[in-house]
Amino acid sequence: MIQLYHVDKIYKQDWYALRDVNLSIGKGEFVFLTGASGAGKTTLLELLYMQEFPTNGQVIVGDYSSTTIKRRDIPYLRRQLGIIFQDFQLMTDRTVYENLAFALEVVNTPRPQIKPRVLKLLSFVGLSHKLSALPYELSGGEQQRVTIARALINDPVLVLADEPTGNLDPQSSDQVMQLLRDINLQGATVLMATHNTEILRHYNYRTIRLDQGRVVEDRSPLF
Ligand SMILES: Nc1ncnc2c1ncn2[C@@H]1O[C@H](COP(=O)(O)OP(=O)(O)OP(=O)(O)O)[C@@H](O)[C@H]1O
Ligand SMILES: [Mg+2]
């Protein structure tokens, strides 16, 4: 599903955000990406959805390679991905329902399929009762669940989550983790950046640790 070969990402001529990263993540895996602030976690995720490109080396995601992908193919790559950002990036002047429906409209989903799909995802994240709410009327945890619903609405094969529990209390964090675990059990590959040590301890998943742009640890699940 994901392969990185000798990937460097260099900013400003000599700043290595990533250095000689080699990784392989298989279909259906759940993987944590961890490391201190500035270690390169977000940069690595940006390379995977091809927001950024490696300075050296190659990134492969599904059928696409950073060395050969055309600009016009990037939207097709992203249609297979569910991307969850730490800052929610919901449209503030649209309701919860409209935010989710929009994600389907932009990929030309046939009209009759939109409503049932939105309602299904809202039910999945436990927010059916909030469909008419505007984002500012929701708690942080609820907003994050809307962004998860949005990320999952097109049935992604790969979910990229950048600190999805970053601003949440332990209970909301648990809800988010349950949702990501369910998605993974349904077959999606999940790569989640976090430095939440509680979560890393509590969930027994493969853990890749970055330190100053290098992979310094790649720990398999303990059973
Ligand atoms: N667009 C950019 N231009 C210049 N430097 C950048 C850019 N993006 C990231 N960097 C640098 O690359 C390094 C890695 O940043 P990155 O955002 O990937 O870290 P991170 O592990 O996600 O940190 P955090 O836990 O704080 O989110 C940092 O030193 C950062 O300053
Ligand atoms: Mg980051």
Side-chain angles (χ1 to χ4, degrees):
M1 172 66 44
I2 296 175
Q3 272 137 349
L4 281 78
Y5 297 104
H6 299 292
V7 167
D8 295 329
K9 180 63 183 175
I10 306 173
Y11 285 115
K12 311 222 157 120
Q13 273 141 54
D14 63 350
W15 183 262
Y16 281 78
L18 293 172
R19 193 187 285 260
D20 196 25
V21 173
N22 295 283
L23 271 185
S24 176
I25 295 175
K27 196 163 158 36
E29 281 196 76
F30 193 123
V31 181
F32 285 130
L33 184 61
T34 190
S37 185
K41 304 181 294 295
T42 297
T43 302
L44 198 152
L45 296 179
E46 287 169 346
L47 293 177
L48 296 178
Y49 59 91
M50 304 208 187
Q51 176 68 26
E52 295 285 346
F53 286 85
T55 313
N56 302 303
Q58 185 182 13
V59 175
I60 294 174
V61 182
D63 296 332
Y64 295 98
S65 163
S66 61
T67 52
T68 53
I69 193 169
K70 305 268 191 308
R71 189 158 288 275
R72 65 170 181 273
D73 291 332
I74 292 177
Y76 294 98
L77 162 70
R78 291 191 187 156
R79 266 177 216 193
Q80 301 176 27
L81 309 181
I83 306 173
I84 303 166
F85 301 97
Q86 180 175 359
D87 49 356
F88 307 120
Q89 302 195 354
L90 295 171
M91 297 182 287
T92 54
D93 57 342
R94 309 273 186 101
T95 65
V96 167
Y97 181 90
E98 289 164 347
N99 266 277
L100 297 181
F102 182 74
L104 291 168
E105 286 158 10
V106 292
V107 296
N108 300 319
T109 307
R111 274 237 150 258
Q113 292 174 20
I114 291 181
K115 190 170 180 190
R117 185 79 190 142
V118 171
L119 296 181
K120 180 164 180 230
L121 265 293
L122 275 177
S123 156
F124 177 66
V125 300
L127 288 173
S128 301
H129 56 301
K130 296 284 187 184
L131 85 172
S132 307
L134 290 164
Y136 78 90
E137 299 172 312
L138 302 176
S139 72
E142 289 167 343
Q143 287 183 48
Q144 189 58 294
R145 275 145 63 204
V146 177
T147 60
I148 290 173
R150 185 183 55 187
L152 301 180
I153 206 156
N154 286 308
D155 269 331
V157 294
L158 172 61
V159 176
L160 303 173
D162 198 354
E163 296 278 1
T165 63
N167 298 314
L168 306 182
D169 63 29
Q171 198 190 335
S172 302
S173 298
D174 267 348
Q175 287 176 341
V176 165
M177 287 307 300
Q178 298 298 337
L179 292 171
L180 292 175
R181 189 162 71 171
D182 288 349
I183 283 306
N184 176 243
L185 290 172
Q186 289 168 30
T189 309
V190 178
L191 179 59
M192 170 178 159
T194 183
H195 37 206
N196 184 325
T197 48
E198 278 296 305
I199 285 177
L200 291 170
R201 231 193 335 255
H202 192 259
Y203 293 87
N204 180 30
Y205 291 126
R206 177 180 171 192
T207 302
I208 296 167
R209 182 179 303 278
L210 292 172
D211 183 20
Q212 296 178 41
R214 292 179 194 272
V215 174
V216 291
E217 187 185 351
D218 188 346
R219 188 179 60 69
S220 301
L222 299 171
F223 51 81

